[in-house]
């Protein structure tokens, strides 16, 4: 019987290691996603919003 208990303990440790690895992968994915969102937010702060056009229309001739 002691050998069976040891084998069950080893399986428990193995399953715990698999669960921990999955948890670490989820945390890493969440960290990367949050980091990318912060980077995107920082890069878009200094830009003008889309659609803003300068009022200097007389500089170029009109297209056909």
């Amino acid at each position: 019987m002691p050998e069976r208990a040891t084998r069950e303990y080893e399986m428990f440790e193995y399953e715990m290691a698999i669960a921990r690895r999955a948890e670490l992968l989820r945390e890493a994915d969440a960290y990367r996603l949050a980091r990318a969102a912060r980077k995107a937010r920082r890069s878009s702060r200094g830009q003008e919003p889309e659609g803003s056009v300068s009022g200097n229309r007389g500089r170029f001739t009109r297209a056909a």
Side-chain angles (χ1 to χ4, degrees), residues 25-62:
L25 288 172
R26 281 191 299 271
E27 286 178 12
D29 286 339
Y31 176 79
R32 279 192 293 272
L33 183 63
R35 190 172 180 189
R38 282 193 305 270
K39 183 178 178 183
R41 188 176 63 222
R42 273 196 309 267
S43 68
S44 68
R45 278 186 191 163
Q47 297 176 355
E48 293 181 20
E50 284 188 38
S52 63
V53 179
S54 66
N56 243 345
R57 289 194 176 268
R59 289 193 335 198
F60 301 104
T61 61
R62 194 167 196 168

Side-chain angles (χ1 to χ4, degrees), residues 6-22:
T6 304
R7 181 169 245 131
E8 286 176 359
Y9 182 73
E10 288 173 357
M11 287 302 295
F12 175 75
E13 280 188 334
Y14 176 75
E15 290 174 7
M16 290 299 292
I18 295 293
R20 179 67 179 143
R21 181 178 184 270

